């Protein structure tokens, strides 16, 4: 049996393959478990995480990864054909979430899918209206 997150990633990878996309940026990539699944599916993965320890672990798994946060990504505009950022908005206040989404859109090419999970209602007191759930956003084409 697979986890909901693994199923979401599998669905996202299937979408990317159907659209002919090749490069995925993984934001808050942790130790690289999701990145390995992306690479095994035949796509290029680049990960970022704020934790230097996590980046060392991801690199030990053979992944391209660097220390960075979703609010300041060290990549050119439109550098990636897709973004996997399911942990990037967790526990951030509304203003910070907006900053991260803007940065994700900046590094994604036009029309690129960006996978996120919206925080649960009440998780951030000043923004109780957001619902939980996996969503795929699109950059403007």
């Amino acid at each position: 049996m697979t986890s909901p997150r693994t199923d979401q990633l599998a669905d996202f990878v299937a979408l990317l393959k159907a659209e002919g996309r090749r490069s995925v940026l993984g934001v808050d990539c942790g130790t690289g478990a999701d990145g390995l699944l992306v690479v095994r599916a035949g796509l290029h993965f680049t990960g970022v995480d704020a934790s230097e320890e996590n980046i060392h672990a991801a690199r030990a798994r053979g992944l391209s990864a660097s220390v960075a946060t979703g609010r300041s990504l060290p990549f050119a505009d439109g550098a990636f054909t897709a973004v996997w950022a399911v942990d990037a908005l967790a526990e951030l206040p509304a203003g910070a979430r907006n900053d991260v989404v803007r940065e994700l859109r900046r590094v994604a090419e036009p029309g690129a899918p960006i996978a996120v999970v919206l925080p649960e209602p009440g998780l951030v007191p000043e923004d109780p209206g957001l619902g939980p759930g996996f969503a795929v956003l699109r950059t403007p084409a």
Side-chain angles (χ1 to χ4, degrees):
M1 181 152 106
T2 61
S3 73
R5 181 181 176 125
T6 301
D7 291 342
Q8 291 165 342
L9 180 55
D11 290 346
F12 190 64
V13 166
L15 170 73
L16 302 182
K17 287 184 152 195
E19 293 183 3
R21 297 185 182 275
R22 304 159 312 282
S23 61
V24 178
L25 171 63
V27 180
D28 288 352
C29 70
T31 61
D34 290 352
L36 283 178
L37 295 173
V38 169
V39 169
R40 288 180 185 145
L43 303 172
H44 178 75
F45 179 86
T46 300
V48 297
D49 196 281
S51 164
E52 195 169 316
E53 186 175 306
N54 283 346
I55 292 305
H56 287 303
R59 287 178 179 165
R61 291 177 149 181
L63 297 172
S64 172
S66 55
V67 176
T69 69
R71 291 180 83 172
S72 180
L73 296 168
F75 305 108
D77 295 358
F80 296 93
T81 63
V83 178
W84 177 254
V86 296
D87 293 329
L89 303 179
E91 301 180 17
L92 292 176
R97 282 195 305 267
N98 293 337
D99 292 344
V100 171
V101 170
R102 272 192 293 280
E103 188 68 351
L104 298 178
R105 289 177 66 182
R106 182 189 67 76
V107 301
E109 71 179 17
I114 300 171
V116 296
V117 173
L118 298 176
E120 293 183 29
L123 182 65
V124 180
E126 70 273 13
D127 190 11
L130 284 176
F134 177 76
V136 176
L137 312 173
R138 292 275 179 173
T139 59

